[in-house]
């Protein structure tokens, strides 16, 4: 029997087009399962890039623990666009605008401003190759030569790497990011032997000392319209390689994310919108849902 009254609130949102499902698991003792994620992703109305599963606050998670699931059921350590959606979901419920969440990668402190924009402190980037992680001990992670198999275009044979809690490979390209067939080579790059935990693969075209355009093939989710942690990774690697300053506007089709890589504490602050689409409920164990 489907005891739907005991299903969890399901909210479909997006962060600049990054498709997010917020599942409110507070007050429950069960978990959103990878099987539920795969089933939800199989339906066109609930197909998503990430699930943000929000659990009760606990001693080390003042405003709640967040599990992040990719659409293939794998777990992610960071999700900037998804975090903004959780903030907006909670603000709509009780008007609160400051939050201190925890994920497996650490703290995610976020603030919602009067105009609806939301800032998330994504923490400091990590550049040490063994912590990203990369294999083959490439040493300097500013300019890494990709080992075979790679694309014939030289711009797709070297990258900069960073972790925002999750692994990112950023390829700086000279042309419009849409002029490359990222959908075609993204899967091979995501699973490349240099990325022992796979990687989020981004193409970045620097357009000024304070702006770049970005396109990302996400680990465990594929080509997405936006990726917040990739925007952070692209901004810090652009700054680190002297292509931009530490404040960068990262443009994706639906708009821009503002990234500020702070000098004083090395933290990366990402600011952008969140959009509510519809609300329903879901069985977090099976992925059965209704609006
Ligand atoms: N879309 C997310 C990133 C998800 C990262 C996930 N693809 C992984 O690292 O496995 C964001 O806005 O930050």
């Amino acid at each position: 029997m489907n005891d739907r009254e005991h299903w969890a609130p399901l909210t479909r949102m997006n962060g600049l087009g990054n498709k997010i499902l917020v599942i409110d698991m507070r007050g429950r003792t069960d978990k959103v399962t990878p099987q539920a994620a795969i089933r939800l992703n199989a339906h066109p109305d609930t197909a998503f890039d990430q699930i943000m599963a929000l659990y009760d606050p606990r001693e080390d998670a003042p405003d709640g623990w967040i599990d992040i699931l990719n659409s293939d059921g794998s777990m992610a350590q960071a999700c900037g666009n998804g975090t903004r959606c959780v903030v907006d979901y909670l603000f709509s419920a009780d008007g609160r605008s400051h939050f201190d969440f925890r994920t497996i990668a650490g703290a995610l402190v976020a603030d919602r401003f009067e105009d609806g924009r939301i800032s998330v402190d994504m923490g400091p980037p990590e550049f040490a190759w063994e912590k990203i992680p990369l294999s083959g001990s490439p040493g300097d992670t500013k300019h890494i030569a990709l080992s075979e198999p790679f694309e014939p275009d030289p711009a797709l044979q070297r990258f900069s790497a960073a972790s925002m809690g999750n692994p990112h490979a950023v390829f700086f390209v000279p042309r419009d990011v849409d002029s490359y067939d990222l959908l075609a080579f993204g899967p091979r790059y995501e699973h490349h032997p240099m990325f022992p935990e796979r990687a989020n693969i981004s193409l970045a075209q620097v357009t000024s000392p304070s702006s770049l355009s970005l396109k990302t093939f996400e680990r465990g989710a594929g080509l997405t319209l936006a990726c917040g942690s990739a925007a952070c990774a692209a901004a810090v690697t652009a700054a680190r390689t002297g292509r931009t300053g530490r404040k960068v506007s990262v443009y994706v089709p639906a708009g821009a994310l503002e990234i500020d890589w702070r000098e004083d504490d090395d933290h990366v602050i990402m600011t952008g919108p969140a959009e509510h689409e519809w609300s329903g409920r879901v069985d977090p164990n099976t992925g059965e849902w209704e609006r």
Side-chain angles (χ1 to χ4, degrees):
M1 179 186 73
N2 289 320
D3 188 359
R4 298 187 177 204
E5 290 64 47
H6 289 225
W7 286 7
L10 168 68
T11 308
R12 173 58 184 253
M13 303 183 75
N14 75 81
L16 281 178
N18 202 186
K19 296 183 286 185
I20 303 294
L21 295 180
V22 177
I23 300 180
D24 190 346
M25 297 294 284
R26 290 176 296 171
R28 299 176 69 106
T29 54
D30 55 351
K31 304 272 270 185
V32 177
T33 66
Q35 294 74 19
I38 291 166
R39 177 170 175 175
L40 282 162
N41 190 51
H43 192 290
D45 292 354
T46 48
F48 66 92
D49 299 326
Q50 278 80 37
I51 286 174
M52 304 298 285
L54 175 65
Y55 296 91
D56 283 324
R58 53 194 219 199
E59 193 177 327
D60 64 344
D63 289 315
W65 179 274
I66 296 177
D67 275 346
I68 302 164
L69 292 95
N70 285 315
S71 50
D72 69 353
S74 63
M75 296 294 279
Q77 304 93 328
C79 184
N81 288 325
T83 304
R84 295 199 316 277
C85 289
V86 174
V87 168
D88 207 53
Y89 167 77
L90 294 173
F91 172 79
S92 304
D94 62 19
R96 285 182 54 206
S97 57
H98 177 75
F99 300 92
D100 185 358
F101 303 119
R102 290 294 181 281
T103 73
I104 48 175
L108 277 178
V109 177
D111 291 282
R112 185 185 186 278
F113 303 119
E114 290 285 320
D115 62 5
R117 288 177 315 125
I118 297 158
S119 274
V120 182
D121 180 343
M122 300 289 283
E126 178 59 68
F127 298 116
W129 64 267
E130 63 275 12
K131 294 187 178 170
I132 290 175
L134 301 175
S135 57
S137 57
D140 174 11
T141 54
K142 293 192 187 84
H143 311 286
I144 307 169
L146 186 69
S147 59
E148 292 274 24
F150 48 57
E151 288 290 292
D153 187 327
L156 301 176
Q157 295 177 8
R158 59 185 178 279
F159 63 97
S160 285
S163 170
M164 292 306 302
N166 57 347
H168 290 272
V170 182
F171 294 79
F172 289 101
V173 295
R175 303 194 316 268
D176 184 315
V177 294
D178 288 324
S179 66
Y180 300 83
D181 192 357
L182 181 56
L183 183 61
F185 62 84
R188 174 161 34 95
Y189 275 41
E190 175 197 358
H191 292 268
H192 193 283
M194 284 190 82
F195 309 127
E197 293 180 10
R198 300 189 287 169
N200 296 282
I201 307 298
S202 288
L203 306 181
Q205 183 192 19
V206 175
T207 47
S208 87
S210 61
S211 62
L212 63 86
S213 296
L214 189 70
K215 189 170 188 175
T216 304
F217 188 93
E218 287 195 36
R219 177 181 67 168
L223 207 54
T224 65
L225 285 174
C227 180
S229 55
C232 297
V236 298
T237 51
R240 186 167 183 250
T241 54
R243 291 179 167 94
T244 65
R246 296 174 69 101
K247 291 190 177 185
V248 183
S249 297
V250 176
Y251 288 90
V252 294
L257 287 170
E258 302 304 327
I259 311 297
D260 179 7
W261 183 17
R262 287 195 305 222
E263 297 248 25
D264 57 347
D265 63 1
D266 197 36
H267 281 217
V268 182
I269 312 301
M270 171 199 61
T271 303
E275 184 183 355
H276 176 276
E277 296 182 24
W278 50 261
S279 299
R281 54 187 175 181
V282 64
D283 180 332
N285 302 293
T286 66
E288 197 178 355
W289 63 279
E290 65 179 15
R291 284 184 69 160

